[in-house]
Amino acid sequence: LLKKGNGKGKDFSLPLPAFVTAVAFFLLGLSVYLYLPIRSLQNPFMDWGDTERLGDFLEVLLRRQFGLGSSAYSMERGLMQGGYYLRLLREQFTFPGLAVGLVGVLFFIRRTLTPSLFTLILFLIHGPVTILFLNPAREDLYAIDVMVIPSFAVFSIFVGIGLLFVYSGITALFMRGPIKGRDRAVSVFLTFIFLSIPSTLLYANLR
């Protein structure tokens, strides 16, 4: 990742100063957790997790106090959790939204590799990885719904990019040669596409 490019083809290496800066900001973001043991040392009236001890601090940091997680990892359990997350995605975006979002992922990766991979990793961490890490039992799956909301926000970006791809594809396909009334027909069709998917998602989430 930090290796210098050889000047041939695309160079996706990260300069050392940029890497150090990224790590520094990552640690800065984590530093808010230092408030927990500092506050716990004051023995407040409400001392969530009693985090002045390292073991208890890790329990809170890894969210083990919520009781979700289990050491019983298995393929069957993972498939069950993955299926539940896919159902959540379908409920939020419906099948047309999922299809457009997947098109957006492929188009994004094709156009800009590094930003697209970063966004995809962000989606995976806040969605499937979160569920697999918490490893809830079937009866506890409902508790992770709110925890994967950030992944829905990221997937919305993919849906938007997918709509742009649909727009550019339709424009390239139909805007060839002089055809009377063509511009108006294409505009009406694109307006229908761009309004139908958000309207469908809104209906799916309000019903």
Side-chain angles (χ1 to χ4, degrees):
L1 182 63
L2 299 178
K3 187 178 179 181
K4 278 192 173 183
N6 55 13
K8 299 179 180 179
K10 293 183 179 180
D11 178 19
F12 298 106
S13 60
L14 184 65
L16 182 58
F19 178 78
V20 173
T21 302
V23 171
F25 276 103
F26 176 75
L27 295 177
L28 182 63
L30 287 180
S31 66
V32 296
Y33 286 106
L34 294 178
Y35 172 81
L36 294 176
I38 293 174
R39 178 60 178 160
S40 182
L41 287 171
Q42 307 304 313
N43 297 316
F45 177 72
M46 296 187 66
D47 191 4
W48 188 275
D50 193 19
T51 53
E52 59 189 77
R53 291 181 292 271
L54 179 60
D56 295 327
F57 174 71
L58 292 177
E59 289 286 320
V60 172
L61 187 64
L62 298 176
R63 304 178 64 87
R64 290 174 181 162
Q65 78 276 19
F66 287 99
L68 284 179
S70 169
S71 58
Y73 285 98
S74 67
M75 179 67 70
E76 180 182 359
R77 190 166 186 149
L79 291 175
M80 178 266 295
Q81 294 161 353
Y84 181 78
Y85 179 71
L86 289 177
R87 184 167 68 83
L88 287 179
L89 271 181
R90 179 185 59 79
E91 290 176 351
Q92 296 297 319
F93 294 95
T94 71
F95 285 116
L98 286 178
V100 174
L102 291 177
V103 170
V105 172
L106 298 176
F107 180 67
F108 197 13
I109 292 176
R110 181 181 176 186
R111 292 297 297 270
T112 53
L113 182 61
T114 303
S116 62
L117 289 181
F118 172 79
T119 310
L120 185 59
I121 290 173
L122 203 62
F123 166 75
L124 293 175
I125 289 176
H126 286 291
V129 173
T130 294
I131 293 181
L132 293 176
F133 173 76
L134 294 174
N135 194 27
R138 186 180 299 275
E139 61 270 16
D140 294 325
L141 282 172
Y142 70 93
I144 56 92
D145 290 8
V146 296
M147 301 180 189
V148 297
I149 289 177
S151 69
F152 300 154
V154 177
F155 194 80
S156 297
I157 298 175
F158 296 142
V159 173
I161 295 174
L163 287 174
L164 290 177
F165 175 78
V166 171
Y167 171 81
S168 61
I170 293 177
T171 302
L173 182 63
F174 290 102
M175 294 297 197
R176 296 176 181 175
I179 302 177
K180 187 176 181 180
R182 175 202 57 198
D183 293 349
R184 178 174 296 181
V186 172
S187 299
V188 171
F189 180 72
L190 290 177
T191 300
F192 172 76
I193 291 293
F194 274 78
L195 292 180
S196 62
I197 292 183
S199 300
T200 302
L201 301 183
L202 180 63
Y203 171 76
N205 282 274
L206 290 180
R207 64 188 173 88

